[in-house]
Every structure is written in structure tokens, then in C-alpha cells.
Amino acid sequence: MKEFDYIIIGGGCAGLSLAYELEINDKLKEKTLAIIETREEYKRDKTWSFWKVFNHNFDDCVIKSWNNFTINTSEGFHWLSNKSFPYQSINSEKFYKKINSKLNLNPNVSFFKNLNEINLENSLVFNSIIEDELDKSKLWQHFQGIEIETSKNIFDDEIVNLMDFNCDQKNDVHFFYTLPFSKNKALIETTWLSNLEDQNLMDYDLQLENYIKNNLGIKSYKINFVEKGAIPLFYPAFKNDKKIINIGSAGGMTRLSTGYTFLNIQEHSKYIVKNINKIEKLRDYNLGKKYHFLDKIFLRVLKNHPDKMPKIFFNMFKTPSKNVIMFLSNKSNIFEDIKIISKMPKLIFMKALFH
């Protein structure tokens, strides 16, 4: 069986981001790379959104950028703006095409469907796959989104509705999310923060249909694209193996309180490539102990007090836009953290802290 210097298990966002970073930094001129990916073809399957708090390699894959954001609850509406850190959405099809077009020009890069086709023994292996079935009773962010197109200009394409809590909360956190790509085209998602055991929460089609017709007042539309996903709001357990470096969600690159992953993957990829010759000797890369600690408390409150979450999110977004953007993007300083924490209900969070 053929041997490679580097092996990436999983050719999704994390695997391809790392491969692209290796390629553009000339790390594959004299080194070989194998990417293990089971899919038959690359097509649009995801939309990755985030605040652009630092430069990344994929501006040409961005569908749309926004500088204005809103959050809605039954108690009110809040609007905020920030021109320094736009909110961006990336089309996964453009992302896949850009990277694969680049990698296909390098004869040192090979794709395989199965690990059995190659020898891993002497390779540096990067893994983005979570193979074990994860606990459905824990907290997840699960969602379905549809890109709709209308015959009339309906949307204000300068404003993202980040969270609309004007829906049945039941015993879990539920909100809708609207990304207007143009005046007649938008991605609308129904999102739950709950376990995956209650099938009654997963009638996504009906939730979206009711919201679009009753809340947005849109009676007629065409569906161009559907995406569905479930992000664990906990870190999967992995055996320590110095020969395998986990990346992406498998490597802890998902911010547990938000589900944001894309920019963390880009930062991790840059870190790996910069330290590729000594990567096995370095400490594990993570988003920071501060955010692990704060997210742990936040998720404890979310689990125990889901009815309080619309107001908690609403108050969080009442802070200056830079503060909340930096906090949610794990780039905040201590002063920004204090401003965010000061908006939280003290008693509930103190109880969660000493739980």
C-alpha cells in the first residue's frame, strides 16, 4: 500500500481548509498528501456564517456580507450595527470548488474513498471525523434551513435577523434565523437548542412553512436549497493518540455556546501549517480555557432555564456591537467579557457557577 507524508481523514470544511493552507504555503511541493473522503461529488450542502474578525482565505466564496443585525423576542426588537466586523455567509459549493481546483493541480495530492487503500503507519494524520455515535440526551444545536426565492422584492437585504424568538418555545430554546441574500432571496432556518430525543421538535418543514407564511407574511415562494444539521454542544471524547491530530469539530473547534466553527477551523489550520515540523510536540490547540469555562456555565443555564434564554440573548445584544461580536467570536478582552457578563441575570448564573 502507498505511503504519504500527510493524511487527512475527512474532506469536509476542516480537512479541505487544512489541505488548502498546506498548499498555498508551499508545504506540498516535496511532501505528499492523501485525503480520505467518501462522498461521490462535492456540491452545495452547507452555509457557513460568522463575523469576520480576522482575514481568511475565502472572501471570493462569500455569498453576502452584512453590517446590520437584529434580534427579536416577544418583549421587543433590538437592532445593532458594525462596519468593522461584517457578518458573512459562505456557499460551501464555491468553497469546495476553489480548494479542489487548486489541489487538483498538485500531483502530490491524492483522494481516496477508504483508509484501507493506504498505509498510515509512517504518516502524520489529521482527523476530522467523529465515528462514535454521540449521546442524543445531551444538548445539541439542530436545525434545518431553506433558501427561498420570491417573485417580488420582499426582504431588506442589508439586515440579518440573527434570532427571532417569536415562536413556541415549549421546554427548549427555539428561534428562527434569516439571511437575506437579495431582495427576493433568503436563507431561513429553524434552530433548536435541545437534546435529540424529542422527535416532536424535528418537524422542521412545518415549522419553516408556518414561520414564512405567518411571521414573514410570504404566501408564495420557491425553494432553491435545503440544508440540515446537528452540532453537539459538548466535546466528544477521544483517546489520546500522539500520531493523530484532531481537527474541526473533532478537534474542539466548535464554540459550544454558539455553534460557530468556520473561522476557528481557519485559525487552527494556520497554526498547524506554521508549526507543521514540530506539531506533534506542541500542546493541543484549543479556543481558550476562558471560553470553555464561560460556555460551561452558559450551557448549564440554558439546560436548566430554557424559558429565560430569549431575554438573556436579547440583553447580551444590548451591549455595544463590538463587545458582543468579539465575545461570540472568542476574541474578547477582559473588559468586553465584563460588559457581557454584567447583562446576565446574576442569581441564575451564580447558581450555575457553583453547581
Side-chain angles (χ1 to χ4, degrees), residues 136-137 142 170-172 192 194-204 207:
K136 292 185 177 181
S137 69
H142 56 103
K170 299 186 179 180
N171 295 317
D172 298 286
W192 290 88
S194 73
N195 63 50
L196 292 181
E197 295 181 318
D198 188 351
Q199 292 299 313
N200 293 324
L201 305 185
M202 299 179 189
D203 54 352
Y204 304 124
Q207 294 165 24

Side-chain angles (χ1 to χ4, degrees), residues 216-231:
L216 301 183
I218 301 172
K219 307 301 180 186
S220 177
Y221 56 89
K222 179 178 71 171
I223 297 176
N224 292 334
F225 167 71
V226 179
E227 67 178 18
K228 185 184 292 188
I231 302 169

Side-chain angles (χ1 to χ4, degrees), residues 2 82 103 206 208 248 351:
K2 194 169 181 181
N82 193 291
L103 297 179
L206 182 59
L208 287 163
K351 285 182 178 180

Side-chain angles (χ1 to χ4, degrees), residues 5 12 29 60 91 162 172 187 191 230 235 245 247 258 265 287:
D5 296 297
K29 279 189 172 182
D60 51 350
N91 180 324
L162 291 171
D172 298 286
L187 178 70
T191 302
Y235 291 122
I245 297 168
I247 59 176
T258 65
I265 285 174
L287 302 184

Side-chain angles (χ1 to χ4, degrees), residues 128-155:
S128 66
I129 303 298
I130 302 172
E131 293 185 344
D132 295 337
E133 186 171 345
L134 300 181
D135 190 346
K136 292 185 177 181
S137 69
K138 291 186 176 182
L139 273 175
W140 293 70
Q141 181 183 125
H142 56 103
F143 58 89
Q144 180 173 304
I146 57 174
E147 182 186 280
I148 67 169
E149 186 174 344
T150 61
S151 58
K152 298 179 181 179
N153 292 337
I154 292 174
F155 302 106

Side-chain angles (χ1 to χ4, degrees), residues 101-117:
S101 297
K102 184 76 170 175
L103 297 179
N104 288 337
L105 298 175
N106 190 336
N108 289 337
V109 180
S110 304
F111 280 81
F112 295 89
K113 290 280 195 301
N114 199 303
L115 270 174
N116 296 332
E117 300 177 65

Side-chain angles (χ1 to χ4, degrees), residues 92-350:
S92 62
E93 186 172 26
K94 292 184 176 182
F95 171 89
Y96 298 143
K97 185 175 180 180
K98 173 187 172 91
I99 294 178
N100 286 323
S101 297
K102 184 76 170 175
L103 297 179
N104 288 337
L105 298 175
N106 190 336
N108 289 337
V109 180
S110 304
F111 280 81
F112 295 89
K113 290 280 195 301
N114 199 303
L115 270 174
N116 296 332
E117 300 177 65
I118 60 177
N119 184 357
L120 281 73
E121 190 172 340
N122 299 312
S123 303
L124 182 56
V125 180
F126 301 94
N127 171 61
S128 66
I129 303 298
I130 302 172
E131 293 185 344
D132 295 337
E133 186 171 345
L134 300 181
D135 190 346
K136 292 185 177 181
S137 69
K138 291 186 176 182
L139 273 175
W140 293 70
Q141 181 183 125
H142 56 103
F143 58 89
Q144 180 173 304
I146 57 174
E147 182 186 280
I148 67 169
E149 186 174 344
T150 61
S151 58
K152 298 179 181 179
N153 292 337
I154 292 174
F155 302 106
D156 184 342
D157 61 346
E158 297 300 318
I159 303 175
V160 171
N161 189 343
L162 291 171
M163 289 179 159
D164 187 346
F165 287 100
N166 289 308
C167 49
D168 293 334
Q169 292 301 310
K170 299 186 179 180
N171 295 317
D172 298 286
V173 180
H174 182 209
F175 60 89
F176 288 87
Y177 173 58
T178 301
L179 298 173
F181 299 137
S182 68
K183 295 189 182 301
N184 73 326
K185 191 182 294 184
L187 178 70
I188 301 168
E189 286 194 353
T190 175
T191 302
W192 290 88
L193 306 179
S194 73
N195 63 50
L196 292 181
E197 295 181 318
D198 188 351
Q199 292 299 313
N200 293 324
L201 305 185
M202 299 179 189
D203 54 352
Y204 304 124
D205 291 332
L206 182 59
Q207 294 165 24
L208 287 163
E209 181 182 349
N210 289 338
Y211 180 76
I212 291 168
K213 289 184 178 179
N214 299 328
N215 292 65
L216 301 183
I218 301 172
K219 307 301 180 186
S220 177
Y221 56 89
K222 179 178 71 171
I223 297 176
N224 292 334
F225 167 71
V226 179
E227 67 178 18
K228 185 184 292 188
I231 302 169
L233 299 183
F234 56 92
Y235 291 122
F238 285 96
K239 295 177 182 177
N240 289 327
D241 189 337
K242 290 295 182 182
K243 293 182 65 177
I244 299 179
I245 297 168
N246 291 313
I247 59 176
S249 291
M253 289 303 104
T254 297
R255 177 76 185 274
L256 296 188
S257 60
T258 65
Y260 289 137
T261 309
F262 185 85
L263 271 195
N264 299 329
I265 285 174
Q266 306 315 312
E267 206 162 28
H268 192 198
S269 297
K270 292 179 186 297
Y271 173 85
I272 289 172
V273 171
K274 182 180 178 181
N275 298 284
I276 192 70
N277 295 324
K278 55 182 178 180
I279 196 70
E280 293 170 289
K281 298 177 182 178
L282 297 178
R283 290 183 302 170
D284 290 340
Y285 182 90
N286 60 64
L287 302 184
K289 290 182 179 180
K290 174 178 74 172
Y291 297 108
H292 287 186
F293 174 73
L294 293 174
D295 287 355
K296 190 175 182 179
I297 297 171
F298 184 84
L299 292 173
R300 197 175 287 158
V301 171
L302 189 156
K303 185 176 182 179
N304 294 331
H305 303 279
D307 58 310
K308 306 289 186 186
M309 297 314 295
K311 188 171 183 178
I312 287 172
F313 279 115
F314 189 76
N315 288 339
M316 182 188 296
F317 277 91
K318 279 189 172 180
T319 61
S321 61
K322 180 176 181 290
N323 294 346
V324 70
I325 289 171
M326 288 295 154
F327 182 78
L328 296 176
S329 304
N330 30 281
K331 297 295 178 191
S332 55
N333 59 41
I334 185 63
F335 302 105
E336 290 160 342
D337 294 337
I338 290 171
K339 287 182 179 178
I340 294 291
I341 292 169
S342 69
K343 293 292 184 179
M344 300 298 102
K346 307 294 187 297
L347 183 59
I348 290 175
F349 275 79
M350 287 298 289

